[in-house]
Amino acid sequence: MYSIYRQVFKPCGVENSVYCNFTSLQHKVLIISAASQLTIYKLKDKYQNATEEELTENYQNYGSSSFDGVLEQVGTWSLFGNVKSMKSISMGDGQLDLLLLSFFDGKLSVVEFDLEAYDIKTSSIHYFEESIAQHGMLQNCSTPQIAVDPDNRCAAMLLNNFSVAIIAFQPQEGLLISDLTTHQNSPTKKVTSYDINLKDIDAKTQRVIDIEFLHGYYEPTLLVLYEAPITWSGRVSTRQDTCNIIAISLNTSEMTHPIIWSLNGLPYNCLQVHAVPKPIGGVLVFATSSVLYLNQSVPAYGVSLNGTTKGSTSFALRKQEKVCLQLHGCRVTFLSTECLLVCLANGELYVMTMKTDNMRSIRALNFQSVGTSVQPTSLTAIGNDFVFVGSRLAFPQLIRNFKRSGTETPPRIDDVLSSSSPTTTNNNDDPDEKSEDNKPDDPKSEEKKSEEPAAAPVIEEKMEVCDELDLTMYGEESKDSNNRTAHHFITCDSLVNIGPCGAAELGSNYNISDEFANQQETSLELVVLSGHGNNGSLSILQHTLKPQLATSFSLPGCDDMWTVYARDGGEGEKDHHSYLLISREDSTLVLKTCHTEITEVEESGYTMDEPSVFVGNLRSGIVLQVCTASASLLDGTRLLHKINIELDSPIQHCSMDDPHAVLLTANGNTVQLSVIKDDDGLEYRLECSKLFIPQFPPITSVCIYCDRSSMFTTYDSRQQQSTFKPAATTKSEPMDDLNISQQREDIKFVANLRNSSYTDVDDEDELLYGSSIKKEEDQPASPPPTINTPPDTTEYIADELPQQHQSEKTYWLVVIRKNVHLEIYNLVTQKLAFAVPNFAYGRQVLIDCSANYELEKTEPFDNSDTDTECNVLEVCMVGLDKDGQYPYLMARQRDQVLIYKVYSFENTKNYIVNQGLKVRFKKIDHGIMMRKPSSLGDFGDPSSFRPCFRLFNNINGYSGAFLCGPYPHWIVATSRGSIKCHPMNVDGRVSSFAMFHNVNCSHGFIYFNRQSELRIGKLLPKMRYDTDWPMRNISLGCTGHFIVYSIEHKVYTLVTSTMEECKRLPYLNCDNTKDFEDLERDESFIYPRINRFELKLITPQTWQSVPNTSIPLEDFEHVTCMKNVWLVPSAHTTIRNNYVAVGTSHVMGEEMCSRGRILIVEVIEVVPEPGKPHTKNRFKNIYSEEQRGPVSALCGVEGNLLTAIGQKVFIWRFDSDGSLRGLAFVDTNTYITQALNFRSFAIIGDIQRSITLLRYQEEFKTLAVLSRDVKPMEVYCVDLLVADKNCSFVATDSEKNLSYYQFEPQAVESHGGSRLVKRGDIHVGQNVNCMWRVGTVQMDRATGVTNDTYATCHMTMMGTLDGGISSIVPVAEKLYRRLTMLQNYLYTSSPHTAGLNPKEFRTAKSKVKSLSNPVRCVLDGDLLWRYHNLTKVAKHELARKIGSTREQLADDLMELHRSTCVM
């Protein structure tokens, strides 16, 4: 069996983050990685200095369309490898930062941002797999974390327990690397790499814990935290203080590595090290229960954070009063040189301040509790005020720190909100920086401070009185360090995360309209259990957009329609649409919509005796109607002005942006209309003029664009933007080489002044640390220099111009000639500003060719020889967001849509060719597929000849464009500047679309479907459409473990747990019965936390728990499995009823035998409470009995219950008295974790011994092992892969692989059927913890063609712990062979980000070496889907190489897309 695997929902659990100048020299960006996804964000300028009230008010709207994202998305990239660690390194003045990405198997990629292509390009790749495999190591368990030298001279990557790779960035041209100034200013650097075996440096090294570079050393100094000998908590009484550090001085040119500092006897539970910046220097070591400060020249200082350090370490620790916390799993970032933000594993936030004396020795550590955020995986400081908290278990948060003076105290954040709307946040700021609001001489500020709520007490250590000797040696404490700065954190923004997907279930869409309820494949919705702890939630996902219909009626014979509103509101509200105009073949129908009913207007000023081409409102409310031979201006129904337009051919298209409109005729001629005010009597009138642009070759599509982003500026406007213009250059005189050279020298001088702020230091500090150079991020924000020169770079992104340089809106005309060429004209001057020949080929980046662009002089245009599939039928350029700040260029072809993102770009290399716009266009991979089935031949679609891009600006608060046609899509603009595309295939082809807002339908829409039915609907109010899939997040406030859906009652059963402190321990008394011992400890003791499980009933009406239905479980009882099962209720009937079966296990320590319990409940209907219809369901307890072992898996087989208890699998049946009676059992493997039934068979998954196929024979009451896989595998999840009459068994494992097996007794390798035969495997790259199956789409609703190829197939979908969703679908062998050849060419012909190999990434991995080879029978859909984003030439060349055609490959992929577009 052959199949194709594809990721349909990108992973969103953030693991790494970094803040650097990666894409621009003017602004830093935030780069985050989530498994194999790399995303770049930029902080919006308007929120850099926003007040607390503004940020709080904005975040209160989070999750709705009115929320404005603080982070702006720059771009996103998919990698063929999971990023394990990520750091940035600066390459000096005038150069962008490089990004270091590490992957498993000793891979490291150095990437940079290409400003010309607006893409990531690989600078170098480094491979150390051979070094990892040395010394007999068979597997590597170390995370390849990266450390970067503070002076950017080199970087280090941890390879295994005792090996480190060094990546040196050496200046070329023979410069000395030890010269720091020369090294930083070197224009080019040579990247070399080698590895170090730490056992050769220190033979005691056994396990490296962490690595970090130290500040203030002449040569790069790497500090290594390692453990030798190895111990653990159970052996602390005999072996403790096993951690050590060594500092290695790296001479990368001679490859010598002497040890300059070492220290032994650190606590055994040390976790991580963090280098302290100058002028303090040294290193902070974070252990589970303590914090240590170590420095080569001053005494060590350490504090104990809880009582577990007593007896576990001999290191001298001072007791930290009023502090009781542990640092396991914490993340740390520096807010300043003396202040750190610590986020604990449970999300609690602490600001740790280091108090120093005059000798810069640490005298105290202060801990200030500032609230609670989310469980962190990364913590990154963004500038001086913002902090990003990355998380895999909740919504990653952006928090801001508002600092207060030392006399103030901040309010304590006590509310811990769910991940869907987390408002408890933190932030960091520079304590040395004082804002204007905190000046003591401001009376308003003092009054405001007095109104602040009371603060939580600042936790501070009480120091003993120092004697005279201490004062003589160390001096008095620094006064500056005693001035405490109080921190107040608020949440500004959150990113969406549906991970970890612990469990998922398909259910009926409760809010779906009756017209779509009978569509089985689209009437479903997916419910995923996400988050952990207080951030646990339900994520409701829908793959396709399903409108909520208000009304529907048949209205045949309509070609197009528009909705307009009256300037004075007419008879309704002012913003309500008052009229609906429908264009027919020879007339126009006008309907009044301002009332509760839609009525026809008999007499009005509208032109009703000819079809309309365009109808729309101007900003003043005046209506413009364009017909085939006339144009009219109306105020409501009153005609203001009408002109007849006499042309050779009828008007075919109109593009309008107040006050201009451009008309396009059928033969390619263009006419401009302008709406102007008339002083002679009429308020408004139309003025028709000719466009003075070339009319040949003929124009096939036009669009007017009004630029509000200030990105559309030309090189001719250089005089207006003096900040980025050479001082000695004017508009009329060209810049010579002397001016360019002088301009670059000036900018280097200014950059050095800006980036080299020195502090006063004494001679001893100079000797120890060198010159103290403040980092750029530690400097307060200052205005740019006033010198009239551009930045020191040949290219830069200019989309970050200061607000004072932004010009007012300008108008541009986008033209398509001969269906292939793109031209952009200034509508006012009518000069060519941008030109792209052969635009229809779909290039990745559109570059201006207007300097060398020449028009053809031939008169008539014959397109008989051109490729009609690539003809551009419609073009549209628009700012899709509400403010028009993010312009996009969209072009529609017959079988695809091209979408380009506009980005500012100014090329200073060649000033001769720079004559047009200072922008470029980057192609977006949007996922819209609209190719029609090839079996239809020339399928006639009337909507293809009319405008299909229908813009909207307020449909349930969202703005964007709707794509009409056989495969309609919503192109929704997000508040982060990106777009999300959602298909709406529930109603087939949509011929026309318009916004609609009146008393009956608030901010909705109206459209015609395939059956010529006029339907009025709106978006679901609580769904989010700015994500990859439409989704809704429901906070649970606890961790969800299992979920099942009751088809009969349409409710969900959940198993949740909450964490609580365990203050008593179970034990067996002398009577061999269970008893409990109470634990009484002091306040510094941290009690263990255990899960308290509960069974809940959730109704989709409110997505809340049904009152008084929860079933709490016993103490120390864990739920291990839950399934919906169909069982025969008694021995006197054969009718099967639906029950919920739960298996549990009592976890009470090693001294007590583990027992389990089988709990069977039934969901029943009862009389609901008055006014509460959602309370009609209750739980009914059917069976509850303790078992002799833990119940680890269960399912239903032929009306019986199959359970895995210990090493045995039992079959149970209900007896006449309601008890379970055993029918059969079988001994199996080690520990069963998964069980899945189909008919009389069952698949069980073992924690070590892979999967086993069982068969139950009802007539003989026997359960037997039919076949099994003999290879070792830790099974995570099992399911089926169904293709017609063939069935395979899918299993995922701990190595992030997916494999499927078949039972083939005739095969030789099956050994007579005793072994399952592996038929395919692929490396998913993420741990799969849940699976579900859904049938494929049976019919294409756009064309009515049945899906014969995949009609009998099931699509197996899966959720990952990284927050992604994937699918696997069986395919025919012929299709597999053809797509395999395409896949092999894509391996080598297309560039891959970070130099990663897709073939190696998708090959199944295994820590244990086996003699079997990978079975590569699974196609990589992520790689194949990139074929759609290639250019026409590349597609044709690839198809030619594999002996196929471009049309055939497009048909294959489109058929797969149509068949799998479910939910």
Side-chain angles (χ1 to χ4, degrees), residues 581-635:
L581 285 84
I582 299 177
S583 177
R584 296 180 174 178
E585 184 177 359
D586 55 357
S587 63
T588 298
L589 178 64
V590 181
L591 302 175
K592 180 180 290 187
T593 60
C594 57
H595 298 299
T596 56
E597 296 182 357
I598 299 177
T599 59
E600 183 178 357
V601 178
E602 299 293 341
E603 297 181 359
S604 67
Y606 289 97
T607 302
M608 305 172 63
D609 56 351
E610 57 179 316
S612 297
V613 176
F614 173 82
V615 183
N617 280 106
L618 285 81
R619 293 187 183 90
S620 59
I622 299 300
V623 179
L624 172 65
Q625 181 189 17
V626 178
C627 298
T628 55
S630 64
S632 306
L633 273 181
L634 302 98
D635 184 3

Side-chain angles (χ1 to χ4, degrees), residues 739-784:
N739 289 334
I740 298 173
S741 177
Q742 181 65 33
Q743 147 197 342
R744 293 179 179 174
E745 291 297 325
D746 292 343
I747 257 309
K748 287 183 180 179
F749 176 73
V750 174
N752 290 333
L753 288 179
R754 184 171 64 248
N755 297 329
S756 302
S757 176
Y758 293 86
T759 58
D760 295 333
V761 294
D762 52 19
D763 297 337
E764 182 176 316
D765 293 334
E766 284 284 342
L767 181 62
L768 287 173
Y769 304 108
S771 60
S772 179
I773 304 176
K774 281 193 175 183
K775 292 186 178 180
E776 182 181 354
E777 56 267 24
D778 294 335
Q779 296 290 343
S782 59

Side-chain angles (χ1 to χ4, degrees), residues 437-710:
D437 296 335
N438 294 331
K439 291 184 178 180
D441 56 351
D442 187 359
K444 295 183 179 180
S445 178
E446 293 294 332
E447 181 180 355
K448 183 178 179 180
K449 292 176 185 177
S450 63
E451 296 176 358
E452 294 290 338
V458 178
I459 302 172
E460 182 179 356
E461 181 185 3
K462 297 180 180 179
M463 298 295 299
E464 298 180 358
V465 179
C466 301
D467 54 18
E468 296 180 359
L469 181 61
D470 293 337
L471 294 176
T472 303
M473 295 183 61
Y474 303 108
E476 297 180 357
E477 294 181 357
S478 175
K479 294 182 179 180
D480 295 337
S481 63
N482 292 331
N483 293 331
R484 296 195 308 270
T485 301
H487 301 269
H488 177 210
F489 296 91
I490 65 169
T491 304
C492 305
D493 201 351
S494 296
L495 303 180
V496 173
N497 180 18
I498 67 168
C501 301
E505 182 77 351
L506 287 174
S508 299
N509 190 345
Y510 181 80
N511 296 317
I512 195 170
S513 300
D514 296 336
E515 290 82 352
F516 311 133
N518 58 347
Q519 302 179 14
Q520 296 181 359
E521 64 275 3
T522 56
S523 61
L524 302 175
E525 62 183 5
L526 178 66
V527 181
V528 179
L529 295 180
S530 309
H532 181 79
N534 293 327
N535 298 293
S537 61
L538 288 175
S539 298
I540 299 98
L541 299 168
Q542 299 176 3
H543 190 187
T544 62
L545 192 146
K546 306 172 183 63
Q548 188 176 18
L549 298 183
T551 184
S552 175
F553 54 89
S554 179
L555 192 62
C558 300
D559 295 336
D560 210 342
M561 67 174 177
W562 303 267
T563 55
V564 294
Y565 59 89
R567 183 168 55 166
D568 57 353
E571 300 178 9
E573 297 292 337
K574 187 174 182 180
D575 59 341
H576 285 183
H577 287 114
S578 303
Y579 301 99
L580 170 65
L581 285 84
I582 299 177
S583 177
R584 296 180 174 178
E585 184 177 359
D586 55 357
S587 63
T588 298
L589 178 64
V590 181
L591 302 175
K592 180 180 290 187
T593 60
C594 57
H595 298 299
T596 56
E597 296 182 357
I598 299 177
T599 59
E600 183 178 357
V601 178
E602 299 293 341
E603 297 181 359
S604 67
Y606 289 97
T607 302
M608 305 172 63
D609 56 351
E610 57 179 316
S612 297
V613 176
F614 173 82
V615 183
N617 280 106
L618 285 81
R619 293 187 183 90
S620 59
I622 299 300
V623 179
L624 172 65
Q625 181 189 17
V626 178
C627 298
T628 55
S630 64
S632 306
L633 273 181
L634 302 98
D635 184 3
T637 57
R638 181 171 62 91
L639 181 64
L640 299 180
H641 189 211
K642 180 178 181 180
I643 59 173
N644 295 322
I645 303 175
E646 298 180 358
L647 297 172
D648 298 338
S649 60
I651 299 172
Q652 182 175 284
H653 177 66
C654 172
S655 177
M656 184 194 74
D657 203 315
D658 190 14
H660 304 288
V662 174
L663 311 180
L664 177 65
T665 62
N667 60 359
N669 293 326
T670 55
V671 176
Q672 180 179 356
L673 285 179
S674 298
V675 181
I676 60 177
K677 287 189 177 182
D678 191 359
D679 299 333
D680 297 334
L682 291 177
E683 186 178 3
Y684 291 91
R685 67 182 179 89
L686 289 172
E687 185 177 83
C688 183
S689 61
K690 181 180 179 181
L691 284 174
F692 294 97
I693 63 174
Q695 300 295 320
F696 294 98
I699 299 173
T700 56
S701 183
V702 294
C703 176
I704 288 183
Y705 169 63
C706 178
D707 178 48
R708 298 175 179 86
S709 64
S710 301

Side-chain angles (χ1 to χ4, degrees), residues 304-305 319-325 350 367 369 457-462 1083-1084:
S304 173
L305 302 180
K319 184 179 180 181
Q320 190 79 9
E321 298 293 340
K322 300 180 181 180
V323 169
C324 184
L325 53 91
Y350 288 85
F367 285 83
S369 177
V458 178
I459 302 172
E460 182 179 356
E461 181 185 3
K462 297 180 180 179
E1083 60 180 6
S1084 64

Side-chain angles (χ1 to χ4, degrees), residues 41 127 201 333 673 939 996 1005 1100 1117 1171 1261 1398:
Y41 292 95
Y127 190 55
I201 300 176
T333 186
L673 285 179
F939 175 73
F996 187 70
F1005 53 90
E1117 186 177 18
K1261 301 293 187 297

